[in-house]
Amino acid sequence: MNILGIESSCDECAAAVVEDGTWVLSNVVATQIPFHAIYKGVVPEIASRKHTEWIYGVVEEALLQAGLEPAGLDGVAVTAHPGLLGSLLVGLSFAKAFAWARNIPLIAVDHMLAHLYASQLSESKAAPVVPAEYPFLGLLVSGGHSIICRVDDFDGVTVLGTTIDDAVGEAFDKVSNHYGFGYPGGAAIDKLAQTGDPLAFNFPLPKLYKGEHRYDLSYSGLKTAVINQLEQFRRKPASEVRPGDIAASFQKTAVDILLRSLFRAVEDTGLRTIVGGGGVAANSYLRRLLGEGQGLRCIFPPLKLCGDNGAMIAGLGYRYLIRGERSPLTVRASARVKAFKRSYP
Ligand code: KG4
Ligand code: ZN
């Protein structure tokens, strides 16, 4: 079964074709980053306009690369939430029109569930992935969200912890901005950190371990401490400044914050499989640390599928479709996370 996946929740205009919820036949991501970078963040109106201009060409390219005509598709999956409303509406309206015109099912899905699903996709039939068995712990880390959750099924997620202020990716982006690396900056900080000493600075860890905050996260204190340190560096002669040290120490602390809460959840739930997803799941330090055994099985999507893409949408859509579900053509977009329930320790 071939599903077309459409993703337009933020600043990537993306479409992909996935066979049987597993095999990525094509994966086209047109990034709008250059149009937003000068504003140091995503400008919602520009994002919606670019999606409107690009969506047809992106979908056409995804079909071309998959070697399929529209008649070869069995369904259209699309992100309906969460995200920028204007951007979501472009993809959703396009998908509705496509499904209606071809008389094939429409499946509206949640973007965060799709990030979790990304690790089940295989980019080549020669290298099939072995998906994690449910239940497992999910680590969803992106520019807009930081979520530690228990995952019982592709659509059965219970949030254990989340950020009480900034998302982890947002902290990377703000620190990057202070370095003058522009937006988004996670990958640039990751690269710079490889040149520095992670123990050079002792940045503060949030004191969130009691009561209902046991698995929660916070990044605003770290972000402020790092920005203050960068300001101090600005006043020093260039020979005394080692920018890589701040980046490496920031990255270490940002990942430590995630892992402290995650390991508490491992201990409390007894679940020893962890599945990552979202743009920050591409972080090399996080992947290395979680890959270092500790008796855990840690599964990350391939780097190309960590950020926003249509393949994760198509894969997740397939799961709903084979369960006999589809969305009405009246389905609505929503800016907020829908499919998650919160559980307190
Ligand atoms: O999932 P995503 O593509 O979009 C959202 O749904 O937000 O995540 C984008 C975020 C940005 O904040 C970006 O800076 C961050 O992921 N990111 C990284 C890395 N690559 C992307 N953060 C840390 N290390 C990276 N290597
Ligand atoms: Zn995302």
Side-chain angles (χ1 to χ4, degrees):
M1 220 185 233
N2 294 320
I3 307 293
L4 171 69
I6 294 177
E7 156 61 36
S8 71
S9 66
C10 191
D11 57 351
E12 316 287 14
C13 186
V17 180
V18 173
E19 184 187 338
D20 295 340
T22 304
W23 312 106
V24 181
L25 303 185
S26 66
N27 183 30
V28 177
V29 180
T31 183
Q32 303 180 355
I33 285 172
F35 297 92
H36 300 286
I38 45 167
Y39 303 101
K40 302 189 166 121
V42 179
V43 182
E45 183 176 338
I46 295 177
S48 312
R49 286 176 182 272
K50 287 289 156 205
H51 284 307
T52 309
E53 283 169 34
W54 292 357
I55 188 105
Y56 180 79
V58 166
V59 168
E60 204 176 30
E61 183 63 24
L63 285 169
L64 192 73
Q65 288 186 17
L68 285 175
E69 296 289 332
L73 292 172
D74 302 290
V76 187
V78 61
T79 306
H81 42 79
L84 299 170
L85 209 53
S87 291
L88 287 166
L89 285 171
V90 177
L92 185 60
S93 302
F94 189 94
K96 283 182 182 183
F98 197 105
W100 180 74
R102 304 298 320 170
N103 195 22
I104 53 176
L106 171 77
I107 313 111
V109 307
D110 183 272
H111 180 86
M112 301 311 290
L113 289 182
H115 270 307
L116 257 186
Y117 190 84
S119 67
Q120 298 193 30
L121 297 168
S122 292
E123 291 180 296
S124 144
K125 288 196 174 170
V129 298
V130 183
E133 275 177 33
Y134 298 108
F136 53 76
L137 288 174
L139 181 66
L140 280 171
V141 278
S142 71
H145 297 90
S146 309
I147 296 172
I148 292 171
C149 51
R150 180 192 161 96
V151 186
D152 288 290
D153 203 349
F154 68 86
D155 62 343
V157 170
T158 307
V159 175
L160 302 174
T162 185
T163 181
I164 60 163
D165 41 54
D166 294 346
V168 54
E170 204 178 340
F172 270 91
D173 292 339
K174 286 184 177 156
V175 168
S176 153
N177 204 12
H178 266 259
Y179 269 105
F181 292 155
Y183 168 87
I189 296 288
D190 190 349
K191 199 164 161 219
L192 179 62
Q194 287 164 28
T195 68
D197 173 7
L199 301 175
F201 295 92
N202 208 352
F203 290 126
L205 289 165
K207 294 189 175 53
L208 284 170
Y209 42 80
K210 289 195 186 138
E212 65 187 42
H213 287 308
R214 189 162 165 73
Y215 314 113
D216 280 342
L217 313 159
S218 163
Y219 282 96
S220 71
L222 172 62
K223 181 190 69 188
T224 309
V226 173
I227 289 171
N228 285 342
Q229 193 62 55
L230 280 168
E231 292 297 326
Q232 283 185 32
F233 262 24
R234 287 218 170 101
R235 294 192 282 274
K236 289 191 174 181
S239 59
E240 288 177 32
V241 172
R242 292 198 312 279
D245 283 354
I246 297 195
S249 304
F250 158 71
Q251 179 171 270
K252 178 187 180 308
T253 315
V255 169
D256 280 353
I257 292 172
L258 282 179
L259 297 191
R260 268 192 338 165
S261 294
L262 182 66
F263 290 161
R264 270 185 218 128
V266 168
E267 217 168 274
D268 295 354
T269 61
L271 297 174
R272 306 199 68 79
T273 302
I274 294 159
V275 173
V280 184
N283 184 264
S284 62
Y285 183 74
L286 173 68
R287 290 171 90 99
R288 195 170 73 236
L289 236 61
L290 274 178
E292 276 171 1
Q294 303 160 83
L296 303 174
R297 181 174 180 221
C298 299
I299 304 169
F300 286 102
L303 286 180
K304 259 200 274 172
L305 298 176
C306 284
D308 293 347
N309 65 84
M312 64 185 192
I313 307 299
L316 178 61
Y318 169 80
R319 296 287 152 195
Y320 286 103
L321 200 59
I322 57 168
R323 210 167 61 180
E325 292 175 38
R326 59 197 286 172
S327 306
L329 289 178
T330 50
V331 66
R332 295 162 76 162
S334 139
R336 290 169 192 273
V337 177
K338 279 240 168 121
F340 291 65
K341 53 182 185 288
R342 166 100 199 197
S343 144
Y344 295 100

